[in-house]
Amino acid sequence: MSKQRKETEVNIIVPKGRFNSDWFKCLKCGREVQMLVLGNHATCSECGGMMVRK
């Protein structure tokens, strides 16, 4: 009995623009982390809250 392997294709869209590395602080839990983000806001990986550029 042979098993067939299914291959899936994943398309990733990268927005045009400049990504800026900077420090961000979560408004919900206070976590601070350096991230590479397009824009002034990010999502906290710890609690899911909004992070703002410091």
Side-chain angles (χ1 to χ4, degrees):
M1 191 178 207
S2 67
K3 292 183 180 180
Q4 289 184 352
R5 189 171 160 189
K6 287 187 177 180
E7 291 186 24
T8 58
E9 183 177 312
V10 178
N11 295 320
I12 300 172
I13 298 172
V14 178
K16 276 188 164 183
R18 290 184 52 179
F19 287 88
N20 296 317
S21 176
D22 206 354
W23 286 93
F24 286 82
K25 182 174 183 177
C26 180
L27 297 175
K28 194 172 183 181
C29 70
R31 181 173 186 221
E32 294 182 10
V33 66
Q34 188 175 20
M35 301 175 79
L36 189 63
V37 175
L38 180 66
N40 290 325
H41 302 286
T43 302
C44 180
S45 60
E46 196 73 26
C47 70
M50 185 172 72
M51 297 184 88
V52 292
R53 193 177 299 272
K54 284 187 72 177

